[in-house]
Amino acid sequence: MVRTAIRHRVLTCGIVFVLAFALPATAQLKKGKRFDKGSSCLECHEDVGKGFRVTHDPLKKGECGSCHKPHGLVGALRLQKEEPDLCLDCHDAGSIDLNARHVHPNTDNCSTCHAPHGSDNQALLVSPAAQLCRDCHDGDGFKQQVVHAPVANGCKSCHVRHGSPHEGMLKSEREALCGSCHSGQAGGFRSAHAGVSVEGADCASCHPPHSAASAGLLKASVHPELDCATCHEDGNGAAPADGAAICLNCHDMPEKPAGGSIHPPAAAGDCLDCHNPHTSDHAPLLVASQQMTCGTCHDGIVDKAAGPHAHPVALECANCHTGHSSGQNNLLVAEARALCVSCHDDPEQSGDPVIHPPATGDCIDCHDPHGSGLRGMLLAEQVELCGDCHSDIGTLSGMPVVHSPAATGSCSSCHLPHSGPDKLVRAQGAELCRDCHGAMLDTAEGLPKHGPFDDGDCSTCHVPHASETAGLLVEGQQALCANCHDVETAQPAGGSSHKPAADGRCSACHQPHASKNNAFLNAKPRALCASCHGALEKRLTDEVAHAPAADTDGCLTCHSPHVSRNPGLLLEPATATCLGCHDGDEPDFGKKHLGFAAESIDCRSCHDPHASPLTGMLLPVLHPPFAEGDCATCHGDTEGGRP
């Protein structure tokens, strides 16, 4: 029975599910709600399509389902298809020129230009046609002094909207389109061209299509002789028989000056390689901008001028070069160095005490005149460029320790490249080092300073580029410090030496620049000693500490920091050291030590000099009779007799 009921319920649900998708949309509307009278989409979306002069036809007919799915996520505008397929269900691609050779960009998104429901503009455009075009096509080409009349009538005067078989989305071929208004045979039109027929000519070679800088829609740079017959024969507009050689009727043939240079196209008489014979947007009648014109042959130079570190003046080649011939190499307008110092300060005129020798010569020995991938338009990385002359500096020296700026090839971090003070350094002494070591210098403020550091002359102890010694020291620590400090570090015969001192590692204990501690120690004596003698420091903390050893400066009460004539770096022999605090002549001292003379006792045979878990600083392992205070067991008499 249970299985039968379950099968019945499943079957019933399945039938309802199928019917829900098989019946019209109205079959799914809930009774008793706003849908029960067969309401339309516009009863909820009443603002759609209202207030417009032009309404999209499916909306006008109330056929919202032509474009939209009736169900979906709340707030989601679900279309039956994506653009442009949805639109092409009604609008044939061929009839609106979407299959043409030249198609307007972004035609895959019809709603970029057309409103889907309604608009105040023809063809459901989202804004008036002229404004819509200028939303994308705007700039100086439409804003020059003289505007072509059709521009005022709208783009559709000459262009089609979606696609065209002609370049530029034109209605017809360019010349035919121009001829539709300007007949090449009309008297006035022919007269405007000095009686020369220009039928079939490329109008755009002289006239910009939208706006121009001068009357007659001519470009900014116009050939001064506009009598066409000067160059063209028979008034037919045909090219001169002599080609570019016709230019030499008015212009002198460029010649190469002695010791100078000549531009190859000029030498060959190929004037039209660079110049337009009629009019141009670029003076003097260049076929394109200077950079583009020159770039047709000198593309590598154009790339440099567009690179990350370009010479600003290289954007206009004529800033430095002549177009035809020059008395200088490379068509320069002046001698190379003179040309550079016409914009840049001349190091030789700086008045600085030191002039970098390369700065007195040709600037292009170090710099690329157009641009490079390196700052300062350098020809190579600084380490390589400077290394050509300074082959013993930094990484080139072969020394193991190299100053960071020298290691990274950043010579200009410390040195001025052209002129400056001694050694061309950017600043003197510590002020030069401050750029990188400012934190250390600031920390030292207010602290007692080591003499050389206080003088601010870092070079007293350090070399600037590379060294055999850590810390870029001018020599090993022991020899360097000995120049000022007469401190014995060699172990005396029968004595002892502190290992850091014997090894010449002065900075193991002393701060070379500044310190709040006496003798410029890295820390207070006890803490400093604990950095090596950790086990002893633990005993001083955990056990009963001997008073001198427990003191902050206690180590130096008994020990010498460098060398000693005594073992253990003691300032005096062990017994004498102890008797410096303990009076061996007191009766109590003699009683505790069986009457032995204090000077004859080696205190360390029974006492630990630093710390002990027992009172009296006794060594922790005691002989049982001694521990019980029974001296007589071993000693014959208690007045100092030996066992």
Side-chain angles (χ1 to χ4, degrees):
M1 289 293 291
V2 173
R3 292 179 180 177
T4 302
I6 292 174
R7 283 197 298 269
H8 177 72
R9 290 174 185 172
V10 170
L11 181 60
T12 301
C13 291
I15 293 172
V16 171
F17 183 81
V18 171
L19 288 175
F21 283 87
L23 296 175
T26 53
Q28 299 181 53
L29 302 180
K30 297 179 180 179
K31 297 295 182 181
K33 301 294 183 180
R34 62 182 180 275
F35 307 109
D36 58 1
K37 296 180 181 180
S39 302
S40 70
C41 302
L42 294 179
E43 289 198 16
C44 289
H45 305 282
E46 59 184 357
D47 57 327
V48 176
K50 281 191 175 182
F52 294 118
R53 292 174 52 197
V54 182
T55 304
H56 198 193
D57 195 53
L59 178 61
K60 186 186 298 183
K61 296 177 180 178
E63 297 174 352
C64 305
S66 297
C67 299
H68 296 284
K69 295 179 180 179
H71 304 114
L73 298 174
V74 174
L77 193 64
R78 300 195 65 196
L79 297 174
Q80 296 285 359
K81 295 179 182 179
E82 296 297 327
E83 295 181 48
D85 293 338
L86 178 65
C87 302
L88 294 179
D89 281 345
C90 296
H91 304 280
D92 178 65
S95 66
I96 56 175
D97 300 318
L98 291 182
N99 297 329
R101 180 181 178 187
H102 300 281
V103 178
H104 194 276
N106 212 27
T107 52
D108 285 345
N109 296 300
C110 308
S111 57
T112 300
C113 298
H114 300 280
H117 298 118
S119 170
D120 287 333
N121 306 299
Q122 289 185 347
L124 289 170
L125 294 178
V126 296
S127 57
Q131 180 59 48
L132 181 62
C133 295
R134 292 197 179 191
D135 286 343
C136 295
H137 306 282
D138 197 8
D140 294 339
F142 297 90
K143 300 175 182 177
Q144 296 187 74
Q145 185 175 355
V146 180
V147 179
H148 195 194
V151 172
N153 298 327
C155 308
K156 63 181 182 180
S157 298
C158 299
H159 300 278
V160 292
R161 295 169 181 169
H162 296 116
S164 168
H166 311 293
E167 189 175 357
M169 307 276 296
L170 294 175
K171 287 184 172 181
S172 59
E173 287 294 338
R174 188 191 309 251
E175 286 68 35
L177 183 63
C178 296
S180 65
C181 294
H182 307 283
S183 172
Q185 299 302 325
F189 185 68
R190 184 163 183 152
S191 297
H193 293 83
V196 175
S197 172
V198 291
E199 189 172 13
D202 181 5
C203 307
S205 64
C206 292
H207 305 282
H210 302 112
S211 69
S214 57
L217 277 178
L218 290 175
K219 297 178 182 179
S221 180
V222 180
H223 197 279
E225 179 57 74
L226 287 179
D227 182 357
C228 306
T230 302
C231 301
H232 299 279
E233 298 176 356
D234 301 329
N236 60 8
D242 294 336
I246 194 72
C247 301
L248 300 180
N249 290 340
C250 297
H251 302 279
D252 292 335
M253 179 69 179
E255 295 182 359
K256 181 179 179 180
S261 53
I262 188 169
H263 199 193
D270 295 329
C271 309
L272 301 185
D273 285 357
C274 300
H275 299 282
N276 188 301
H278 302 114
T279 182
S280 169
D281 287 325
H282 310 281
L285 287 168
L286 293 178
V287 295
S289 67
Q290 288 186 27
Q291 205 174 61
M292 291 187 66
T293 300
C294 300
T296 57
C297 295
H298 307 283
D299 54 341
I301 290 177
V302 171
D303 291 342
K304 290 180 179 180
H309 300 286
H311 197 184
V313 299
L315 294 174
E316 294 291 334
C317 309
N319 285 328
C320 299
H321 302 277
T322 64
H324 300 118
S325 64
S326 168
Q328 310 294 329
N329 288 331
N330 300 314
L331 292 172
L332 292 176
V333 298
E335 184 272 327
R337 190 175 188 282
L339 183 60
C340 295
V341 299
S342 66
C343 293
H344 303 280
D345 293 337
D346 186 351
E348 290 189 305
Q349 304 301 319
S350 66
D352 290 328
V354 178
I355 310 297
H356 196 195
T360 65
D362 197 338
C363 305
I364 62 175
D365 288 343
C366 296
H367 302 279
D368 190 300
H370 301 104
S372 78
L374 302 172
R375 293 185 64 180
M377 304 191 308
L378 293 178
L379 295 174
E381 295 286 356
Q382 291 185 27
V383 67
E384 179 183 342
L385 190 63
C386 300
D388 285 343
C389 297
H390 306 283
S391 58
D392 58 340
I393 299 299
T395 54
L396 303 176
S397 67
M399 293 184 181
V401 183
V402 181
H403 195 193
S404 179
T408 57
S410 182
C411 309
S412 58
S413 296
C414 301
H415 297 281
L416 294 163
H418 301 118
S419 67
D422 184 39
K423 298 181 181 178
L424 292 173
V425 291
R426 292 186 174 275
Q428 298 298 314
E431 287 309 306
L432 177 64
C433 303
R434 180 175 290 279
D435 285 344
C436 295
H437 304 286
M440 182 268 290
L441 291 168
D442 292 341
T443 301
E445 288 299 322
L447 298 177
K449 298 179 180 63
H450 192 198
F453 180 76
D454 197 21
D455 292 340
D457 188 1
C458 304
S459 63
T460 301
C461 299
H462 302 280
V463 292
H465 299 115
S467 172
E468 296 282 1
T469 308
L472 289 168
L473 296 178
V474 297
E475 54 186 330
Q477 287 188 27
Q478 192 171 52
L480 179 62
C481 297
N483 290 329
C484 297
H485 303 282
D486 186 13
V487 175
E488 188 178 359
T489 57
Q491 180 174 325
S496 55
S497 64
H498 197 191
K499 184 169 176 52
D503 293 344
R505 294 185 291 110
C506 308
S507 61
C509 299
H510 298 280
Q511 169 56 243
H513 301 118
S515 173
K516 63 183 178 181
N517 303 306
N518 289 336
F520 297 105
L521 291 177
N522 291 329
K524 295 292 185 182
R526 178 178 166 182
L528 181 62
C529 296
S531 64
C532 291
H533 304 284
L536 177 56
E537 175 62 24
K538 187 175 188 309
R539 289 183 58 214
L540 289 171
T541 302
D542 297 344
E543 300 175 6
V544 178
H546 191 197
D551 188 72
T552 301
D553 295 333
C555 305
L556 298 180
T557 303
C558 301
H559 299 280
S560 170
H562 300 113
V563 298
S564 173
R565 300 286 186 267
N566 305 297
L569 285 172
L570 289 173
L571 294 170
E572 299 181 54
T575 299
T577 299
C578 296
L579 293 178
C581 294
H582 302 282
D583 187 356
D585 295 330
E586 286 188 351
D588 284 348
F589 184 89
K591 185 177 180 180
K592 291 179 180 179
H593 295 84
L594 302 179
F596 289 124
E599 293 78 6
S600 67
I601 299 173
D602 182 359
C603 307
R604 295 172 299 177
S605 63
C606 294
H607 301 280
D608 190 300
H610 299 110
S612 171
L614 305 177
T615 58
M617 304 302 299
L618 291 173
L619 295 171
V621 180
L622 303 178
H623 192 207
F626 178 80
E628 296 170 1
D630 181 9
C631 301
T633 300
C634 300
H635 295 277
D637 71 60
T638 58
E639 297 300 322
R642 300 290 181 181

